[in-house]
Amino acid sequence: MHLSGWCFDTRSPILKVDAVFPEPLTVVPLTSYGLPSPDVAAAVNPDARHNRFDECFIIPPHTVGHLFRLQFTLSDGTIVLGGSDIGDAAEGESQSRSNAIQPKDAQSRLDCDRFGAASDSTSIPAELEMVKRRETEFRANIVHEFLDRGERNSYLHTLRQERAALIKRGQEVSLDLEAMVRRLEVEGERAAALETELHRIRSSTSWGKLRPIWAVWRTFSRSHIPSTIVPSLKRAPADGSVFTYFLHTSPFRIYREHFFTLRGWAWPDDGRSITAIGANIDGSLFVGHHGLEEPEVIARYGNQTANPRPGFEITFETSQGRHQLSLEAELDHAEWRSIMKTSIWCEPTMP
Amino acid sequence: MNIVDANVRWQKSMSSFGDRSDYKNVWNKQTEDLDVASLAVASFTDEASMDLTAQYSIDALRFTVGISSTDVVLEIGCGIARVGKILSSACLHWFGSDISGGMLRHAATRLQKCPNTTLVELATVGLQEFPRDAFDLVYCTTVFMHLLEWDRYRYVEEAFRILRPGGRCYFDNFHLDSTTGWNLFLAGASIPLNQRPAHISMSSSRGELVTYLRKAGFEGIRIYELPSELLAAVGRKPN
């Protein structure tokens, strides 16, 4: 190959120029670099007086057909790699003045003319390649075996750990369910006994005398029940989104009252502002109050720009039976998103 | 008050370094979905741009340390396998390691059609998951900018341990003495003190990278200025 051109770097003298062929990585020094370049000195920079190269060299075996780049070694040892590939068969006076082969802050010019190539196609290199391949395959297998043995730290192990944790969680839930069923059976027997006791009391003489007083007490006791709690609209529960939240009054209970007030705090993780809050019970939305102060939460989590007062309070009706509760927030006056969903069981004991 | 007592009180008065060292958490939080993870590691979400930048990284490897079809390669901090997806076709086996399991989940999806790849989640800073003398090439690209200096060196000395004799290493980072590097520096400087992200990019110098490789034991150390304006340090483990 015949290669000629010039290069110059304004920051530092270029000590050395090489042609670099990638596969296999082969560096061919352009030993002619340093030839006089008065034309470059006149046109580009007065210091560029010996910045030419012009030489012929044999293309390294096995690199024929590959592209190459030039690299320029500066006086501090830094090697500036040319930016784009150069064909090894650029004909005649084809010239490159692109940034591709320029050192930084530099200019260069290249004439490249391939005149010959050496190609060694004997069987020995192929055999050597096979041996090397077998050796590296062996080494790759060793790494795998090592990973299998020490999989405590591997990604696969992380997945297995997560799977084991989920199985354990499932077993715990089954246990809880079993315990709950047993407790329900005990409570059922207790309720039957109390029912019998109640029937006995109501049929007694003293109950007949106290009955008018009980009626008066019932009238007064009902007066504390809010009568204005009605759902503001009816619609299906909203889709979920990611919130940071906490509920002061846990919704995970058996609801013994006719109404329940859910208190807590929340904000969406996407940084939007909560503009309304509500509890959706079987498609009926009970809108609550939001924007309540939660100084301890702010102290713990830092100021929430979009939700500086993240507290809320929602009162909703808990009629007899099983319902779906969806705690929901309206975000930026745009859409409702569910914070959490659960099924609830209501057994109001008061008449 | 004696000096011992004062020293104890001084120790107690120190604040922790913050989240920058908590790499696993910092990067797992940026893996909600593939788009978020892609932006975090490559600033792109489309595969075409991702493949193009991967090709730049691979070219840098080809012309500095070389890539052979018989190489067993390890990438430190492979993220979503931006580079590995393409590089795996040019080597015998590609191992991708990352401290973020979230990133590796996305990487696994992207590497479904690349059978000669293995992903390994790193427990912490270091490469203790890998045996010594195992790899032909260990590289780490566009990762150092997110690491503290001690952790950068930790990976360099670990690379030395797991490379086979004669194996090559490659590490890069941006440097201030380049247009892109300086702009990146100014972009970081413009972020208010209390809003600096834990993964904010920080530069390396030639001296820093050379020192790491020399102290770790590498020989044939060279420093490259790449067309992408990254500064790359390469070296070879002695035979």
Side-chain angles (χ1 to χ4, degrees):
Chain A
M1 176 179 283
H2 177 213
L3 203 58
S4 69
W6 57 266
C7 55
F8 178 72
D9 191 300
T10 53
R11 297 172 306 169
S12 171
I14 296 173
L15 300 184
K16 193 165 160 263
V17 181
D18 305 299
V20 190
F21 295 83
E23 287 159 18
L25 186 64
T26 310
V27 178
V28 179
L30 302 185
T31 52
S32 66
Y33 174 68
L35 295 173
S37 52
D39 54 330
V40 181
V44 178
N45 190 303
D47 291 335
R49 292 187 301 274
H50 294 89
N51 291 62
R52 274 201 172 280
F53 49 85
D54 186 346
E55 67 187 84
C56 298
F57 61 88
I58 303 293
I59 297 173
H62 311 301
T63 62
V64 180
H66 289 279
L67 301 173
F68 70 95
R69 293 189 184 187
L70 293 184
Q71 67 180 28
F72 311 89
T73 305
L74 306 183
S75 59
D76 68 352
T78 303
I79 300 169
V80 179
L81 184 65
S84 62
D85 298 337
I86 303 164
D88 64 351
E91 291 296 330
E93 288 302 304
S94 74
Q95 295 172 359
S96 169
R97 212 176 229 283
S98 69
N99 289 328
I101 58 164
Q102 286 179 189
K104 186 175 158 59
D105 299 334
Q107 297 186 33
S108 61
R109 170 172 164 160
L110 176 73
D111 300 337
C112 175
D113 178 13
R114 176 181 162 199
F115 64 86
S119 173
D120 186 355
S121 59
T122 60
S123 61
I124 293 173
E127 210 162 303
L128 281 173
E129 180 82 3
M130 283 258 300
V131 170
K132 195 176 174 193
R133 196 172 185 84
R134 280 209 303 274
E135 187 258 325
T136 45
E137 273 172 358
F138 175 73
R139 232 165 338 100
N141 286 337
I142 285 178
V143 176
H144 275 124
E145 280 176 21
F146 188 88
L147 287 169
D148 286 344
R149 284 202 309 274
E151 68 175 40
R152 184 170 56 253
N153 295 320
S154 73
Y155 175 54
L156 183 65
H157 180 69
T158 306
L159 290 177
R160 284 179 182 160
Q161 268 188 327
E162 287 176 5
R163 182 167 166 268
L166 284 173
I167 291 170
K168 190 179 170 201
R169 179 92 194 277
Q171 289 169 344
E172 286 171 355
V173 168
S174 297
L175 260 177
D176 285 350
L177 197 62
E178 193 178 333
M180 182 69 90
V181 168
R182 289 192 193 290
R183 280 182 61 187
L184 275 174
E185 286 171 359
V186 171
E187 290 298 320
E189 287 168 9
R190 196 163 152 246
L194 287 172
E195 189 71 27
T196 310
E197 178 71 10
L198 186 64
H199 182 72
R200 194 185 59 75
I201 292 169
R202 280 184 171 163
S203 57
S204 68
T205 314
S206 48
W207 171 252
K209 290 177 182 172
L210 288 171
R211 199 168 176 176
I213 301 168
W214 170 240
V216 171
W217 182 85
R218 266 177 29 173
T219 306
F220 281 104
S221 64
R222 274 181 187 172
S223 63
H224 80 281
I225 298 172
S227 57
T228 56
I229 305 299
V230 289
S232 59
L233 60 99
K234 286 189 178 289
R235 62 158 173 75
D239 289 334
S241 190
V242 183
F243 286 78
T244 299
Y245 70 97
F246 181 77
L247 301 174
H248 298 306
T249 49
S250 171
F252 307 105
R253 62 175 69 214
I254 293 177
Y255 293 76
R256 301 287 187 192
E257 313 291 331
H258 289 272
F259 296 90
F260 183 74
T261 301
L262 199 55
R263 296 188 186 86
W265 54 264
W267 58 74
D269 286 6
D270 60 12
R272 286 189 283 178
S273 171
I274 292 180
T275 47
I277 194 113
N280 190 317
I281 309 293
D282 292 342
S284 299
L285 184 70
F286 295 83
V287 175
H289 303 291
H290 70 287
L292 307 182
E293 297 281 359
E294 285 285 356
E296 289 177 6
V297 177
I298 296 300
R300 167 71 180 80
Y301 287 91
N303 188 36
Q304 303 299 312
T305 316
N307 299 284
R309 291 183 295 281
F312 65 78
E313 184 177 289
I314 313 160
T315 301
F316 55 87
E317 189 181 25
T318 49
S319 57
Q320 176 74 36
R322 187 172 180 274
H323 307 287
Q324 282 297 322
L325 162 66
S326 169
L327 174 60
E328 298 177 357
E330 185 195 50
L331 303 177
D332 285 347
H333 296 290
E335 59 172 348
W336 284 83
R337 286 282 169 182
S338 176
I339 300 170
M340 57 80 67
K341 290 176 182 171
T342 184
S343 46
I344 59 173
W345 185 260
C346 305
E347 289 181 8
T349 51
M350 291 177 61
Chain B
M1 292 289 172
N2 60 36
I3 185 72
V4 175
D5 181 49
N7 193 47
V8 169
R9 284 184 289 109
W10 176 46
Q11 298 284 339
K12 284 181 181 171
S13 71
M14 291 177 187
S15 300
S16 69
F17 202 87
D19 289 341
R20 189 166 174 92
S21 303
D22 187 8
Y23 302 112
K24 195 174 272 290
N25 192 31
V26 164
W27 289 98
N28 275 336
K29 279 170 75 176
Q30 298 180 69
T31 60
E32 184 185 332
D33 57 48
L34 182 58
D35 282 349
V36 172
S38 301
L39 283 174
V41 299
S43 306
F44 296 106
T45 56
D46 64 297
E47 281 291 318
S49 302
M50 206 95 73
D51 289 351
L52 188 66
T53 60
Q55 196 56 57
Y56 292 149
S57 303
I58 292 167
D59 280 349
L61 291 170
R62 285 170 63 222
F63 283 98
T64 55
V65 286
I67 300 167
S68 161
S69 58
T70 57
D71 278 343
V72 179
V73 179
L74 172 71
E75 178 172 351
I76 301 169
C78 68
I80 60 170
R82 176 181 66 91
V83 178
K85 185 184 149 202
I86 297 176
L87 179 58
S88 60
S89 63
C91 62
L92 185 82
H93 200 99
W94 180 87
F95 287 85
S97 65
D98 204 290
I99 203 161
S100 162
M103 287 290 175
L104 293 179
R105 279 186 181 83
H106 297 306
T109 308
R110 296 185 73 242
L111 292 175
Q112 275 176 348
K113 293 178 182 169
C114 306
N116 62 332
T117 59
T118 305
L119 295 168
V120 179
E121 181 178 348
L122 303 177
T124 183
V125 173
L127 302 168
Q128 70 266 34
E129 287 79 3
F130 299 101
R132 63 188 305 115
D133 301 342
F135 293 93
D136 297 288
L137 170 62
V138 173
Y139 71 93
C140 178
T141 182
T142 56
V143 169
F144 267 24
M145 55 198 64
H146 305 301
L147 305 184
L148 291 162
E149 282 87 342
W150 308 286
D151 304 325
R152 293 172 184 172
Y153 177 62
R154 176 80 181 130
Y155 281 118
V156 174
E157 63 177 356
E158 279 284 85
F160 185 86
R161 180 180 64 81
I162 65 172
L163 275 170
R164 68 167 177 77
R168 299 98 69 204
C169 72
Y170 168 103
F171 298 89
D172 67 28
N173 196 0
F174 78 92
H175 63 122
L176 296 182
D177 188 18
S178 68
T179 309
T180 310
W182 184 248
N183 287 340
L184 204 53
F185 175 78
L186 290 181
S190 68
I191 299 173
L193 288 177
N194 60 346
Q195 290 175 27
R196 281 179 187 155
H199 66 277
I200 190 169
S201 295
M202 294 168 77
S203 64
S204 285
S205 67
R206 289 172 175 75
E208 178 198 347
L209 296 180
V210 168
T211 304
Y212 292 156
L213 267 65
R214 197 180 60 236
K215 294 283 185 188
F218 286 103
E219 63 180 21
I221 299 164
R222 298 190 304 277
I223 293 287
Y224 285 89
E225 269 184 22
L226 302 176
S228 60
E229 297 199 339
L230 287 173
L231 197 65
V234 305
R236 191 179 65 253
K237 183 172 176 176
N239 280 309

